[in-house]
């Protein structure tokens, strides 16, 4: 399975449009929150039928779910925006929650900085922001996650040119 993981688009879709042109077809598009009202645009501009999106701290009036636990090819993925776990201060509280849930992968956003790290069998993954990146260089980033039953997931960080 090829899964596109994005976050923090904040209603601006120029980069996401380019990512979809480059990466589709994908089997799943995961958005880790802060669509800022863009969820309808996103769902209608991808060919993908599976588009899990969680609510971010700027998604005030949405009825998106705050968090999701998904089974992806036998891997348990915990999806959250992350602001509820003090993610700007560090990943420790998120890591604890993900372990409590028995997750193999925690997907989050909020910091607008890409992050890929494996800690004792738990993957902590943040694709960064496709609209307002804050990491050095300020590139609009996303992650392609490749999963196959019984194999280790592969996470590739990519940037929009
Ligand atoms: Mn944000």
């Amino acid at each position: 399975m090829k899964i596109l993981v994005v976050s923090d688009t904040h209603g601006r879709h120029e980069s996401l449009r380019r990512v979809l042109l480059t990466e589709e077809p994908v089997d799943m598009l995961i958005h880790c929150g802060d669509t800022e009202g863009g969820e309808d645009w996103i769902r209608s501009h991808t060919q993908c039928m599976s588009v899990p999106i969680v609510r971010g701290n700027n998604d005030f009036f949405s009825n998106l779910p705050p968090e999701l636990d998904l089974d992806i090819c036998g891997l348990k993925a915990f999806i959250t925006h992350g602001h509820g776990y003090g993610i700007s201060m560090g990943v420790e509280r998120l890591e604890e929650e993900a372990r409590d849930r028995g997750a193999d992968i925690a997907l989050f956003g909020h910091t607008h900085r890409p992050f890929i790290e494996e800690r004792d069998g738990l993957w902590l993954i943040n694709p960064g922001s496709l609209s307002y990146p804050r990491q050095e260089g300020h590139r609009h980033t996303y992650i392609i996650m490749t999963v196959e039953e019984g194999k280790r997931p592969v996470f590739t960080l990519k940037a929009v040119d």
Side-chain angles (χ1 to χ4, degrees), residues 12 23 25 29 31 37 43 48 52 55 60-61 67 87 91 106 113 116 122 128 133 136 141 154:
R12 285 185 54 185
E23 300 292 351
L29 194 177
H31 193 301
R43 291 189 203 281
C48 185
R55 192 167 70 216
F60 305 109
F61 305 111
E67 299 180 322
I87 204 71
V91 294
R113 294 169 204 267
I116 298 179
L122 171 66
E136 196 177 332
T141 54
V154 176

Side-chain angles (χ1 to χ4, degrees), residues 2 18 43 45 94 99 128 146:
K2 178 182 179 181
R18 294 175 63 186
R43 291 189 203 281
H45 284 77
L94 173 70
R99 289 194 193 282
T146 311

Side-chain angles (χ1 to χ4, degrees), residues 20-31:
L20 291 169
L21 277 171
T22 309
E23 300 292 351
E24 284 200 309
V26 295
D27 299 298
M28 186 182 284
L29 194 177
I30 295 175
H31 193 301

Side-chain angles (χ1 to χ4, degrees), residues 68-138:
L68 289 169
D69 291 283
L70 299 183
D71 185 298
I72 303 174
C73 284
L75 292 167
K76 289 181 184 170
F78 169 47
I79 307 168
T80 180
H81 189 56
H83 59 290
Y85 302 98
I87 204 71
S88 302
M89 307 297 292
V91 294
E92 288 70 26
R93 283 174 57 202
L94 173 70
E95 181 183 353
E96 195 182 333
E97 176 69 19
R99 289 194 193 282
D100 285 349
R101 290 174 183 243
D104 301 296
I105 306 166
L107 298 165
F108 62 101
H110 189 58
T111 63
H112 297 208
R113 294 169 204 267
F115 188 91
I116 298 179
E117 200 171 299
E118 187 189 9
R119 296 188 176 187
D120 296 324
L122 171 66
W123 289 95
L124 298 161
I125 304 294
N126 184 336
S129 172
L130 276 178
S131 298
Y132 300 98
R134 293 184 190 136
Q135 81 280 14
E136 196 177 332
H138 293 86

Side-chain angles (χ1 to χ4, degrees), residues 7-10 33-34 36 57-58 81 109-112 129 134:
S7 192
D8 293 277
T9 43
H10 288 273
D34 275 359
E36 235 176 289
N57 58 306
N58 291 294
H81 189 56
H110 189 58
T111 63
H112 297 208
S129 172
R134 293 184 190 136

Side-chain angles (χ1 to χ4, degrees), residues 133-150:
R134 293 184 190 136
Q135 81 280 14
E136 196 177 332
H138 293 86
R139 298 189 78 192
H140 294 199
T141 54
Y142 62 100
I143 282 174
I144 295 294
M145 170 176 156
T146 311
V147 285
E148 276 182 69
E149 195 85 47

